[in-house]
Amino acid sequence: MRLVFPAALAALLVPAPLPAQDVEADIGTVDFAVSCDPSVRADFDRALALLHHMMYVESRAAFSAIAEADPACAMAHWGVAVTRFQPLWPSRPSAEDLQRGAAEVARAQELGPGTEREAALVAAAAAFYAELETAEWWTRVRRWADAMEAAFDARRDDIETAAFYALSRLAVAPVSDDATALQSEAAGVLLALYERVPRHPGAVHYTIHANDVQGRAGESLAIVRSYDDIAPSVPHALHMPTHIFVRLGSWPDVIEWNRKSAAAALEFPAGDAVSHHYSHAMDYLTYAHLQRGNDARAGDVLRETMEQGPHQRTFISAFHLAAMPARYAVERRDWAAAADVPVRAQEYLAWDRFWWPEAMSWFARGLGAVHEGDLAAARAAEARMGELRDGATSAGEQRFAQYIETDRLVLAGWIASAAGDVDAAAALMRDAASVEASVDKHPVTPGALYPPYEALGDLLFAHDRADGAHQAFAASLEIWPNRYHSLLGAARAGPRVL
C-alpha cells in the first residue's frame, strides 16, 4: 500500500454518482435567430448549444430532426455537417464521415442560407470538406480556420461567428508557430463574448480550452467553475473544468467533477455503445485517485470502466481503454502487472489508426519488462513504439508522434540503465524531456503515464545522485503539479524542492 499524503484525506470520501437528470435541463443561452421556419428556431438553438458542448452525437440527431421538420432549412444541414468533424479532438472523420458531411454542405448550399452570416458559416464548412478524396486533416482544419477568420472580420459583433472563430484559433494553434498568440487571442475573444452572454456554452467551454495550456491554467477560474451551472446534465460540461484542475493539481475537484460527468455520460449512450464521454471522465478520475495515493479507489474505477461496453468506436475510447490499465500499473510501480498490460484488448476498435493509444500499452509493457529484468521484451516494446511513432508521422500526426517519442525515450533510458550505462540513460531521459517540452499536453489525457523528469529523478536517486534528483523532481513538479511520485521523490531526495 502506498503512502497517502495528509492533504489527500479529504479526497477519500467520494460522492456517490448523481441520479440521472432530465436530459431537457438547461444547457445554456444560444439565440441564433436562424432563418428557418419559426417553429424550429428553439430546436435549432438547442442543437447549436449541444454542438458548443461538443456533444456531437446528440447535436447531429437534433439538427437531423430539424431538417426533417423544415426541409427548407439550409442551416440544419450545415449543423449536421459540422458535427462530423471535431476540430479540437483527436478523432478524425472517416471517409464515410467526409462523404456525408460534404453531401450535407452541398444540400445547405443548394437550399441557400438565408443571411450573409449563415452563408459565411456554410462557406467555412465547405472549405473543410473540399477536395474530398485528397486533402489531409490539417489542410482541412486550416482552410476552415481561414474561412472563419474571413467570416469574423466581416461580422465581429456576431456572437456565434465569434465563438466559432475563437474555436478555429484553438484548432490550428497546435500546428502553428504562434500557438501562444493564437490561444491568447481566442481567450480575449471569448472573454468579450462571455461578458455579453455569460451563459453562452461556447464562451465558457472554449475558454477552458484556451486556458488548457502550459502557463494559462490559472486564468478565468470563475468562468471555469460556472460550467456546471450552465449545463448541469451535460456530461462534457461536467468534465471540462477538470482540464484546468489537473493542470493545477487540484485532485478533489478532478474527482468530484468527473464522477458526476461519468454518471451523466451513462445517460447519453452513443447508439448501442457507451459514450466516450464516460471513459474520458473515468480516466481523469483514475488519474486523480492515483495522485492522491488512493490505489483502491483507482482500481474500483478501472474495473467499473472495463465492465462497461461496448464502448463508442472512437480514438477517445481507444485512448482511455489503453491508458487506464497502463496508468494503474505504472503509477503503482507494479512492474509485473505493467509487463502484462493487454494490447488492443477491445478488438472492435480500429487500432490500426490509433498509434498513440497502442503505444501507451507498449510503454507500460516495456517499463514492466525492464524493471522485471526482461531486456529482450523491453527492447521489443521499444521497437514497436518506434514503429507506431513512424506510423503517426507518416499519417501527418506529428503531435501524436511526439507523445510516443517522449515515452519511447524514457523506456530507452531505463533499458540503458539496466544495461549498466547510467549516463546514457540520463541523457535519453533528458532528450525525452526536451521532446515533451516541444508539445503541450493533449486535452484527451489527464497527464503523462511517466513524465520524463520524474523518471530521471527516479533514475538519479536510485544511483545516489542527489543533486540531479533534486533538480529533476523540481522540473517535473513545474510541469505536473502535485503528482504523487514527484512529490514523494522530492521528499525522499531532500527538502530543497518542497
Side-chain angles (χ1 to χ4, degrees):
M1 179 179 293
R2 296 195 292 166
L3 296 173
V4 178
F5 294 118
L9 293 178
L12 300 182
L13 298 176
V14 181
L18 295 180
Q21 299 183 28
D22 182 358
V23 297
E24 296 301 319
D26 189 14
I27 57 173
T29 300
V30 171
D31 185 12
F32 189 85
V34 68
S35 62
C36 296
D37 190 281
S39 65
V40 301
R41 286 182 179 175
D43 293 333
F44 188 92
D45 289 342
R46 177 174 175 77
L48 187 53
L50 287 167
L51 178 62
H52 285 311
H53 289 304
M54 298 185 186
M55 298 293 291
Y56 293 114
V57 173
E58 293 76 16
S59 177
R60 186 179 310 139
F63 280 124
S64 296
I66 294 166
E68 291 186 10
D70 179 9
C73 182
M75 292 305 287
H77 295 278
W78 164 84
V80 173
V82 294
T83 66
R84 290 194 177 277
F85 69 93
Q86 296 104 40
L88 299 191
W89 284 13
S91 301
R92 301 291 181 257
S94 65
E96 181 181 1
D97 286 329
L98 291 173
Q99 290 169 354
R100 290 187 175 185
E104 294 289 347
V105 169
R107 182 58 176 156
Q109 292 172 318
E110 179 184 346
L111 290 170
T115 67
E116 291 184 0
R117 173 185 66 159
E118 293 177 0
L121 293 174
V122 171
F128 177 87
Y129 285 106
E131 298 176 329
L132 195 60
E133 303 296 333
T134 58
E136 53 89 33
W137 168 255
W138 289 112
T139 297
R140 295 181 186 281
V141 171
R142 288 188 180 97
R143 289 191 313 214
W144 171 69
D146 289 345
M148 283 310 310
E149 183 175 14
F152 181 64
D153 285 344
R155 278 163 289 278
R156 287 181 172 266
D157 289 336
D158 181 67
I159 289 171
E160 295 305 324
T161 301
F164 284 112
Y165 171 71
L167 178 63
S168 75
R169 300 304 92 185
L170 299 175
V172 296
V175 291
S176 301
D177 293 334
D178 54 351
T180 300
L182 289 169
Q183 289 150 353
S184 297
E185 181 191 5
V189 170
L190 293 164
L191 179 59
L193 198 164
Y194 176 82
E195 289 172 346
R196 293 174 63 190
V197 188
R199 294 180 59 78
H200 190 279
V204 177
H205 188 172
Y206 306 150
T207 291
I208 295 173
H209 278 292
N211 295 333
D212 185 14
V213 293
Q214 192 72 22
R216 290 193 58 90
E219 302 290 327
S220 305
L221 289 178
I223 298 177
V224 170
R225 289 187 176 276
S226 73
Y227 206 0
D228 66 335
D229 291 333
I230 293 171
S233 66
V234 175
H236 203 52
L238 295 170
H239 160 77
M240 268 306 301
T242 65
H243 284 226
I244 302 302
F245 299 147
V246 294
R247 286 187 178 271
L248 299 175
S250 181
W251 309 128
D253 281 321
V254 178
I255 291 168
E256 179 183 358
W257 287 64
N258 279 295
R259 175 51 73 182
K260 291 189 292 185
S261 174
L266 292 177
E267 302 299 320
F268 288 85
D272 63 347
V274 177
S275 167
H276 55 212
H277 292 290
Y278 174 77
S279 59
H280 191 50
M282 294 295 265
D283 190 14
Y284 272 67
L285 184 58
T286 300
Y287 185 76
H289 281 312
L290 289 167
Q291 302 322 313
R292 297 310 249 175
N294 197 340
D295 298 350
R297 289 285 190 185
D300 290 342
V301 174
L302 173 61
R303 284 186 289 274
E304 181 182 341
T305 304
M306 296 304 168
E307 287 171 0
Q308 295 285 348
H311 292 263
Q312 190 174 356
R313 294 162 178 79
T314 64
F315 179 105
I316 296 170
S317 293
F319 180 89
H320 298 303
L321 294 173
M324 289 178 69
R327 200 183 302 287
Y328 184 64
V330 172
E331 289 278 6
R332 294 181 301 120
R333 305 301 193 250
D334 184 345
W335 300 124
D340 198 37
V341 162
V343 178
R344 297 188 173 202
Q346 293 75 26
E347 294 181 357
Y348 54 85
L349 296 176
W351 290 103
D352 287 343
R353 296 189 290 111
F354 300 152
W355 308 279
W356 182 25
E358 181 180 339
M360 295 190 74
S361 299
W362 285 111
F363 183 39
R365 290 178 69 91
L367 288 171
V370 72
H371 284 88
E372 290 288 294
D374 188 347
L375 285 183
R379 290 189 176 108
E382 184 204 348
R384 178 57 181 157
M385 292 178 72
E387 293 172 355
L388 292 165
R389 174 205 59 204
D390 294 344
T393 300
S394 297
E397 298 290 1
Q398 186 58 36
R399 193 180 184 190
F400 296 162
Q402 287 171 285
Y403 297 135
I404 297 170
E405 180 65 0
T406 299
D407 290 346
R408 189 196 68 79
L409 287 166
V410 170
L411 176 56
W414 281 117
I415 292 172
S417 174
D421 195 339
V422 178
D423 289 337
L428 285 163
M429 290 179 185
R430 290 190 177 96
D431 288 344
S434 295
V435 177
E436 180 186 56
S438 71
V439 58
D440 203 63
K441 181 185 86 67
H442 197 289
V444 75
T445 181
L449 204 63
Y450 194 4
Y453 279 122
E454 184 175 285
L456 178 61
D458 287 344
L459 173 77
L460 297 176
F461 185 75
H463 291 277
D464 298 322
R465 300 186 184 185
D467 289 342
H470 283 312
Q471 297 170 7
F473 287 123
S476 181
L477 289 167
E478 283 292 318
I479 301 168
W480 307 104
N482 290 342
R483 265 190 60 88
Y484 179 95
H485 279 291
S486 291
L487 286 170
L488 185 60
R492 287 172 172 169
R496 282 177 284 176
V497 181
L498 299 178

